[in-house]
Amino acid sequence: MQSLSGVVNGTEGLRTQNLSHILTMVHRNGPLSRAELTRRSGFNRSTVGALVSALVEKGLARETEPAMGGRVGRPSPIVQANPDVAVIAVNPDIDALTVGVVGLGGRVHERVRRETGRLPTLDDAVQLTRAIVADLTPALDRLDRIVGVGIALPGLVNAGSGRVLIAPHLGWRNADLTGPFETALGLPSVAANDASLGSLAESIFGAALGVGHAVYLNGSASGIGGGVVAGGTQLVGSRGYGGELGHTLVSPGGSPCHCGRSGCLDAEVRLERLLDAAGLQGGGIEALEGVLSDDPGPAVRREAERQLELLAVALVNFVNIFDPELIVLGGFLGSLFGFHGDQLGDAVNARALAGGVTVRRATLGPELLLVGAAELAFRPLLASPS
């Protein structure tokens, strides 16, 4: 005979699962009416009402009355995830460190980018993050709750242990990544590869929303990384190291790559080459965007077209291997797409074994990696709202 405690635990477990289902739904797809939540969840109306009330009581959701709009009958209340329940998102790179405050629903409250002037050490990144968070105290005090820290790192990260195996451009190797951030900020911390998190963000809130098969590539000052979604599931590999698409060979015998080979996409298609062609020192993706959106000079045009040709080589390989319906380009690769996107898409579809793939720019812009890091940090809360 099942014990009373077993029945209670089973009931609580089911309730937690149902709360998770509703909170995740409004976090990723909201705001939604109670009627729409009932339709999507398959729960009855009274169950949805009870679950929403519990989430509101816990401060995780908010309800508002919709505009009447001339409709007959009582309108269904609108439910949204509480954006004032937030996480700290951190993205270290070789030229700068970006810190964001991201609320439920993917809302970015604050975004601060600080150029480092030199290659930051892990301790540099931790201390600079702590300083930025201290500067953000007035903004944080206006929120209801900060539940954790998510770190998007350009390197190989074991998401389970929170250790970085190698972040080659930063020079970080075999180090505890999340522990120092937890100590400095007093919050539970999680970390993963930046491009994988960008892929996650675009599949939930951005250009790949609702797409079951997609390839995502992100270009930053550190280089190029990627992510693959197949059948609606992100492919991360046995240890979380999957998605190193930047090490696809595009130019045999080309520029040396830090991985030890030559001619990798990561070595040939680079932000600093475009900035150098424009005569710029620093400024990052925002500076490149300004150059390419105007009428760039011949040096920038030649370099951009060279990089687009090599990028097309890589994308054709990914289409042949993964058969995606969509390719999303973020970071400075999105800027290149904005320069000659039609040319790139035509080249990929003409050369791939099976064409018909759509190439699109990431829609989350400079907030992309922060939203992805936040999604990682929100996972425990979304899984167990009770």
Side-chain angles (χ1 to χ4, degrees), residues 230 273 321 334:
R273 289 193 179 193
I321 295 169

Side-chain angles (χ1 to χ4, degrees), residues 3-378:
S3 68
L4 179 60
S5 63
V7 172
V8 171
N9 289 337
T11 302
E12 284 301 309
L14 180 60
R15 184 171 183 272
T16 296
Q17 182 178 331
N18 292 344
L19 286 169
S20 170
H21 187 49
I22 296 298
L23 180 59
T24 300
M25 201 177 300
V26 294
H27 165 62
R28 294 184 172 183
N29 305 288
L32 298 170
S33 68
R34 280 199 185 192
E36 183 63 15
L37 285 170
T38 300
R39 186 188 70 81
R40 293 192 185 196
S41 68
F43 301 151
N44 62 46
R45 187 169 60 182
S46 62
T47 297
V48 168
L51 293 170
V52 168
S53 295
L55 291 172
V56 171
E57 184 179 343
K58 295 175 185 297
L60 299 177
R62 293 173 177 172
E63 275 195 294
T64 57
E65 293 297 328
M68 291 297 291
R71 297 180 61 184
V72 177
R74 182 179 179 183
S76 178
I78 302 299
V79 184
Q80 71 171 109
N82 181 2
D84 289 340
V85 175
V87 298
I88 305 295
V90 184
N91 175 218
D93 213 330
I94 62 173
D95 60 342
L97 182 134
T98 305
V99 174
V101 181
V102 185
L104 283 172
R107 177 178 172 183
V108 179
H109 295 281
E110 303 284 344
R111 175 179 172 267
V112 178
R113 181 181 184 271
R114 295 269 176 87
E115 294 197 1
T116 54
R118 62 183 176 86
L119 204 63
T121 65
L122 176 55
D123 185 61
D124 290 338
V126 171
Q127 299 308 319
L128 183 53
T129 299
R130 180 161 60 180
I132 294 173
V133 170
D135 291 342
L136 291 174
T137 297
L140 297 176
D141 287 344
R142 291 192 293 270
L143 302 177
D144 293 343
R145 187 183 330 173
I146 303 295
V147 299
V149 177
I151 306 161
L153 186 75
L156 298 182
V157 181
N158 187 311
S161 67
R163 293 186 68 84
V164 53
L165 176 67
I166 179 173
H169 295 290
L170 287 167
W172 303 358
R173 296 174 181 270
N174 194 25
D176 178 12
L177 176 62
T178 55
F181 280 92
E182 289 186 355
T183 300
L185 301 178
L187 292 165
S189 301
V190 288
N193 173 261
D194 59 349
S196 295
L197 293 177
S199 172
L200 178 67
E202 284 291 328
S203 68
I204 294 173
F205 298 107
L209 177 64
V211 177
H213 300 271
V215 169
Y216 167 77
L217 278 182
N218 183 69
S220 71
S222 291
I224 296 176
V228 178
V229 174
T233 301
Q234 191 175 28
L235 303 182
V236 295
S238 62
R239 294 167 294 169
Y241 300 152
E244 286 297 316
L245 302 181
H247 295 287
T248 299
L249 187 65
V250 295
S251 179
S255 301
C257 183
H258 64 81
C259 74
R261 301 194 304 167
S262 297
C264 292
L265 179 67
D266 187 79
E268 296 288 348
V269 177
R270 298 201 59 83
L271 174 61
E272 70 266 21
R273 289 193 179 193
L274 290 161
L275 294 175
D276 287 347
L280 296 176
Q281 297 294 324
I285 296 168
E286 289 85 351
L288 176 65
E289 189 73 23
V291 170
L292 293 179
S293 63
D294 295 330
D295 184 17
V300 175
R301 185 176 295 275
R302 281 194 302 272
E303 180 60 22
E305 290 177 349
R306 185 192 73 84
Q307 294 198 19
L308 281 165
E309 172 60 26
L310 294 173
L311 180 58
V313 172
L315 297 187
V316 169
N317 288 336
F318 302 148
V319 171
N320 291 341
I321 295 169
F322 299 111
D323 188 25
E325 54 191 295
L326 176 68
I327 295 172
V328 179
L329 301 176
F332 82 87
L333 299 182
S335 301
L336 280 174
F337 181 80
F339 177 63
H340 271 326
D342 292 342
Q343 173 183 313
L344 178 63
D346 290 345
V348 171
N349 281 298
R351 301 173 193 173
L353 294 176
V357 66
T358 299
V359 183
R360 188 179 298 164
R361 185 174 188 172
T363 59
L364 297 177
E367 298 177 344
L368 173 66
L369 300 182
L370 300 179
V371 173
E375 192 66 18
L376 185 69
F378 276 132

